[in-house]
Amino acid sequence: MWNYEHLVKPKIVFGPKSLDKLAALIRHETLKKKIALISDPGKWIEPLLLRIEKNLNEGGLVVSGKYTGISPNPMKSECDKGIQSLKDCSSEICIAVGGGSTLDASKLIAQGIGCEVFITIPTTAGTGSELNEWAVITDDETHIKMSIQCKAPNISLLDPRTTVTVPPLITLFTGMDALSHGIESLMSTSATTISDILAYKGCRRIIGYLENAVKDGNDMEARSFILEGSMLTGMAMANASNGILHALANILPGFCYGLSHGEVCANLLVNTVDYNKEAIAFDKYIELFPMAEKAGMILNKIQELYSIREIVLTEEIVSKVVPVSAVNVNAKTNPEKVDEEGVENLLRKTFKIK
């Protein structure tokens, strides 16, 4: 017989209009009232934040501090500024609203201000950050991305309505990120029966509806299935972890300004399955490779439609990324051995190097 553990936290509240339950959910967790609200910057998110604050105010809760100083590929200094900005607000509750970067940084900030209840509300369907305690933060001096274990959310509130304003390419790349969570979870040396069930179901949701969500952002059926698929693969990842793809995707954007984590994931998917094919069970491989191929077809079709540039890396970037990625925490659960040679080969097979 085999033994395993399965993490079931946080509490997940899913579905259209689930955002309307926010104040009631908080009241069920605590009698405290002061809230620190951390969100993406920009005007696009303001209507959502107004709706959230209205719900909180009607529930007798008070937003005592706000912070929006988080960039894509969040820096450690931004997290430190957030802690400094919110510490004097004496907030017992922290709510994070935004994409994966904001949710990641918020975990470090929530831990730093010592909040009692931490709630995540994702506005993208893909990162899985809303479900776990890990934050990927960039060191300001070295530009190396660090995987930091910090405060886990108590509640994750997933309302598909929060994702309808996400532009097509961000929808594509965050969806591919979610798909990579499922595929790497299935290949992981820490995979279990439960994580496999979650990953398979999530991957099928994403592959079946991602193209529709990219083409029509107001397609609520597609948005709902993609968000649910992201939730399922995120739960699988939280338990089974990732592999060489994320060992690279968590590091490479730190050395390439403007390159997103999800775009790296999307490009690496097919070659990652091929890299691991000798180390995973055949029954898994024959299910995984067609999924990766289908993802590659969707990626190529949309890349042509939007004239997405080819990713080009320099030899200098390769020389910096390879040694760091080879020892990244995600490499530990990759089925095939991960070393510098393997990481470099995967990079050169996937991206143009000049």
Side-chain angles (χ1 to χ4, degrees):
M1 293 296 293
W2 51 93
N3 301 302
Y4 58 81
E5 297 180 8
H6 185 82
L7 176 72
V8 293
K9 201 173 182 179
K11 177 178 182 177
I12 295 170
V13 182
F14 178 89
K17 298 188 178 180
S18 59
L19 196 62
D20 300 338
K21 303 174 184 177
L22 180 58
L25 288 167
I26 294 172
R27 281 294 181 215
H28 186 72
E29 293 287 323
T30 181
L31 295 176
K32 305 291 178 61
K33 294 183 177 182
K34 291 184 179 179
I35 294 171
L37 183 59
I38 306 170
S39 70
D40 284 359
K43 290 190 176 297
W44 71 270
I45 201 171
E46 287 178 2
L48 174 58
L49 295 177
L50 287 172
R51 197 158 82 236
I52 288 172
E53 289 193 62
K54 183 175 183 290
N55 177 272
L56 295 172
N57 292 336
E58 289 174 352
L61 301 162
V62 179
V63 175
S64 57
K66 298 180 183 181
Y67 184 66
T68 61
I70 301 164
S71 62
N73 300 315
M75 312 298 290
K76 178 63 165 54
S77 60
E78 294 171 344
C79 299
D80 293 338
K81 288 176 184 175
I83 294 170
Q84 191 65 38
S85 172
L86 296 172
K87 219 165 190 179
D88 294 336
C89 299
S90 303
S91 301
E92 303 95 350
I93 304 150
C94 181
I95 300 175
V97 187
S101 295
T102 291
L103 300 185
D104 271 13
S106 296
K107 296 170 194 175
L108 206 57
I109 296 170
Q111 180 170 280
I113 65 175
C115 72
E116 179 184 323
V117 177
F118 179 37
I119 299 171
T120 53
I121 304 175
T123 57
T124 59
T127 71
S129 178
E130 67 274 9
L131 300 170
N132 62 62
E133 74 273 28
W134 290 95
V136 180
I137 306 296
T138 303
D139 184 282
D140 291 73
E141 293 183 5
T142 65
H143 296 285
I144 292 175
K145 287 193 164 194
M146 308 170 286
S147 295
I148 304 172
Q149 192 171 17
C150 41
K151 181 148 183 86
N154 301 87
I155 299 171
S156 183
L157 198 156
L158 294 91
D159 189 328
R161 295 177 304 169
T162 67
T163 67
V164 295
T165 58
V166 177
L169 293 184
I170 296 178
T171 298
L172 171 67
F173 291 134
T174 53
M176 288 290 183
D177 185 13
L179 182 62
S180 72
H181 295 156
I183 288 177
E184 285 217 287
S185 295
L186 286 162
M187 295 190 292
S188 170
T189 56
S190 295
T192 69
T193 304
I194 300 173
S195 68
D196 280 359
I197 291 169
L198 292 166
Y200 275 126
K201 188 71 171 181
C203 286
R204 291 183 183 118
R205 283 274 196 264
I206 295 162
I207 288 173
Y209 289 91
L210 181 57
E211 197 169 352
N212 288 352
V214 172
K215 289 179 178 178
D216 180 7
N218 291 310
D219 184 335
M220 282 303 298
E221 181 184 52
R223 289 291 193 187
S224 296
F225 278 125
I226 294 298
L227 186 60
E228 186 180 46
S230 172
M231 175 191 75
L232 294 170
T233 59
M235 292 169 69
M237 172 183 65
N239 284 274
S241 193
N242 290 306
I244 190 171
L245 183 153
H246 275 82
L248 270 168
N250 283 359
I251 300 300
L252 184 56
F255 294 93
C256 301
Y257 181 78
L259 182 62
S260 73
H261 171 82
E263 188 173 1
V264 177
C265 291
N267 282 273
L268 283 169
L269 261 176
V270 174
N271 288 337
T272 297
V273 175
D274 188 61
Y275 180 92
N276 288 306
K277 66 181 178 183
E278 300 298 331
I280 57 177
F282 182 69
D283 62 328
K284 277 194 174 180
Y285 177 75
I286 60 175
E287 290 207 54
L288 284 170
F289 195 74
M291 286 196 291
E293 276 196 319
K294 175 64 175 175
M297 290 170 59
I298 294 171
L299 176 64
N300 290 337
K301 186 187 295 186
I302 296 173
Q303 279 181 324
E304 289 180 13
L305 183 64
Y306 286 92
S307 302
I308 301 173
R309 77 205 186 292
E310 182 181 15
I311 298 174
V312 180
L313 307 178
T314 64
E315 291 289 352
E316 182 184 8
I317 289 173
V318 172
S319 68
K320 290 179 178 178
V321 167
V322 165
V324 181
S325 297
V327 296
N328 181 265
V329 64
N330 289 287
K332 294 179 180 179
T333 46
N334 195 76
E336 185 61 73
K337 178 184 176 183
V338 176
D339 54 21
E340 291 190 18
E341 181 182 2
V343 170
E344 183 169 348
N345 287 342
L346 182 57
L347 267 180
R348 293 186 181 279
K349 186 176 181 181
T350 305
F351 303 109
K352 182 177 179 180
I353 315 293
K354 65 175 184 180

